[in-house]
Amino acid sequence: MTRPLILAVAQSGAVQLSDSRQANVARLCKMLDEAADNGADIVVFTEIALTTFFPRHYAEDRAEMDEWFEREMPNAATKPLFDMAKRRGVGFCLGYGELTPEGQHFNTSILVDKSGNIVGKYRKIHLPGHDEFDPSRKFQHLEKRYFLPGNLGFPVWNTMGGNMGMCICNDRRWPETFRLMGLQGVELVMIGYNTPSENSQDASETLEQRKFHNRLSLQAGAYQNSTFVAASAKSGNEDGHHMFAESCIISPAGEIIAMTKGEDDEVIVAEIDLDDTKFGKSTVFDFARHRRIEHYGPITTQVGPRIPDGSDNT
Ligand code: ING
């Protein structure tokens, strides 16, 4: 038995502060059309796909940043994307800033099925950066200022022929993210990322090191949970701030099977078989047979490290 799926990743090139949502959604529609022309079942868009990466900009009054958030989804700006996806019979994953009716702000991703229904929502749990202006940094990364930590856990949905999950950007650096979805049998993890090419606190870190850490995080997550991973970058130069690309599709064996070549809007497509996740899940990563949870307690009871003081060198 096989479960073929044609998977597309739609990488977004730079979105400038001055770009309108309408113009940006038109770019996303163009990529969805291209993916659909290539037979795609699902298209993975990036994190904060509708606007520039606004957490790099400081505002004393946080309410000033509400203009970068969506109060409902779909809405007037995104309706063309939902309509086109439904017309083309394509599902998609989309990242954006969510402002709830209760006034809460999240870095959110939704999963939309081929009928245009929102079947899943994820809110970014691991928020990097800081919450106050930090003059010591070369540039700001204020996700802790503008977003609350996600409150929906790491759900997995059985939809569009498989077990699908989502996470967002910094989440991919934390193995707990993938493992919690692995414990729900995830077969495809869809991720968007907006990752600066420089380290705002360490000028010595090279672009190649940062790209390596991206690939390492994605490939490890895929391999250690025997799942496909599809990761979509926002890349290029946004108002003088560069973010790297390397959007990619990764196999359950942890191998990169497709990667973008440039830093602009670019679609990559791979024909995959979700049944290729089964071998790893039934052998080396047969969680039920191999995991020893009686030893894992500190992972959920301890936040930071407890360093041994050397007195107990038995
Ligand atoms: N961006 C970056 C990311 O996790 C970062 C922030 C970069 C953190 C490099 C640590 C190291 O890819 C977002 N939006 O999370």
Side-chain angles (χ1 to χ4, degrees):
M1 152 90 150
T2 64
R3 281 180 295 147
L5 185 96
I6 300 182
L7 176 61
V9 167
Q11 168 180 292
S12 284
V15 177
Q16 309 306 331
L17 264 173
S18 56
D19 290 348
S20 71
R21 278 182 178 72
Q22 287 68 15
N24 199 27
V25 168
R27 288 167 52 187
L28 301 180
C29 288
K30 188 164 177 286
M31 289 197 280
L32 188 137
D33 231 6
E34 178 184 343
D37 290 347
N38 285 277
D41 295 300
I42 296 179
V43 182
V44 179
F45 291 111
T46 190
E47 174 190 28
I48 303 190
L50 303 177
T51 66
T52 195
F53 186 70
F54 59 84
R56 68 167 67 91
H57 300 289
Y58 176 75
E60 181 60 33
D61 173 6
R62 298 175 201 205
E64 277 176 34
M65 300 304 275
D66 284 0
E67 66 170 296
W68 300 110
F69 289 79
E70 314 305 321
R71 285 167 171 72
E72 62 271 328
M73 188 57 68
N75 55 27
T78 53
K79 189 170 182 311
L81 183 65
F82 278 72
D83 291 349
M84 174 180 278
K86 184 173 180 179
R87 184 160 45 80
R88 301 294 317 258
V90 174
F92 64 93
C93 165
L94 179 74
Y96 61 93
E98 177 191 11
L99 174 50
T100 70
E102 300 73 33
Q104 293 186 310
H105 300 74
F106 295 103
N107 187 339
T108 294
S109 188
I110 52 172
L111 182 57
V112 181
D113 70 11
K114 297 183 176 184
S115 308
N117 302 314
I118 297 176
V119 294
K121 175 180 279 189
Y122 171 73
R123 290 168 172 162
K124 186 174 184 177
I125 285 174
H126 298 98
L127 297 171
H130 47 108
D131 59 359
E132 293 300 336
F133 186 86
D134 181 348
S136 71
R137 289 172 179 250
K138 186 175 181 190
F139 52 85
Q140 304 300 300
H141 194 113
L142 292 155
E143 293 196 58
K144 292 184 192 292
R145 185 176 184 80
Y146 300 132
F147 302 123
L148 287 173
N151 59 357
L152 302 174
F154 295 97
V156 169
W157 299 272
N158 184 281
T159 181
M160 294 183 274
N163 299 326
M164 316 264 170
M166 296 182 281
C167 68
I168 300 175
C169 206
N170 195 259
D171 286 319
R172 72 196 188 285
R173 300 178 192 277
W174 302 93
E176 296 88 342
T177 300
F178 287 99
R179 182 48 47 88
L180 285 162
M181 289 189 273
L183 286 166
Q184 300 170 76
V186 74
E187 296 168 320
L188 172 57
V189 177
M190 293 167 269
I191 303 172
Y193 60 89
N194 288 212
T195 303
S197 298
E198 288 181 81
N199 184 324
S200 63
Q201 298 173 291
D202 174 6
S204 72
E205 187 178 11
T206 66
L207 172 57
E208 192 38 51
Q209 279 173 315
R210 293 171 73 79
K211 288 179 173 181
F212 165 63
H213 292 153
N214 175 49
R215 295 190 299 267
L216 178 66
S217 302
L218 297 171
Q219 290 178 268
Y223 167 65
Q224 292 169 344
N225 296 280
S226 192
T227 178
F228 285 95
V229 170
S232 177
K234 169 99 76 54
S235 46
N237 183 321
E238 289 193 338
D239 299 291
H241 299 273
H242 189 268
M243 295 180 289
F244 64 76
E246 297 206 345
S247 304
C248 56
I249 296 171
I250 297 171
S251 76
E255 291 154 330
I256 295 174
I257 50 183
M259 181 177 274
T260 53
K261 294 176 176 53
E263 295 186 338
D264 297 324
D265 290 1
E266 183 176 343
V267 175
I268 52 175
V269 183
E271 293 193 38
I272 66 173
D273 178 355
L274 290 175
D275 276 358
D276 288 348
T277 61
K278 288 187 181 306
F279 181 74
K281 290 181 191 291
S282 61
T283 54
V284 62
F285 294 109
D286 179 345
F287 292 165
R289 221 152 49 88
H290 297 306
R291 293 183 72 241
R292 304 302 318 173
I293 62 170
E294 64 272 23
H295 297 288
Y296 299 167
I299 290 179
T300 61
T301 58
Q302 196 181 312
V303 181
R306 281 195 210 129
I307 313 302
D309 61 10
S311 59
D312 177 22
N313 287 336
T314 47

